[in-house]
Amino acid sequence: MFGLLIPLEGGFRVTLASGGHPPVLVVRAAGRVEALDT
C-alpha cells in the first residue's frame, strides 16, 4: 500500500495505490467505516 496525503486549505487530499492489497478502511468522525476504492 502506498499513499500521499496532500494538505489543502480546510482539509487534505489522499491518493492511494493498493498493489493488490485489500481495500483501505477509513473511520469517519461519526464512527462509520468505509472501504475506499484505489
Side-chain angles (χ1 to χ4, degrees):
M1 182 65 62
F2 176 80
L4 294 173
L5 183 64
I6 301 165
L8 300 173
E9 188 174 325
F12 294 91
R13 182 178 77 191
V14 178
T15 303
L16 299 171
S18 70
H21 295 278
V24 172
L25 299 177
V26 62
V27 180
R28 302 290 182 187
R32 187 177 74 238
V33 178
E34 302 174 32
L36 297 181
D37 293 332
T38 53

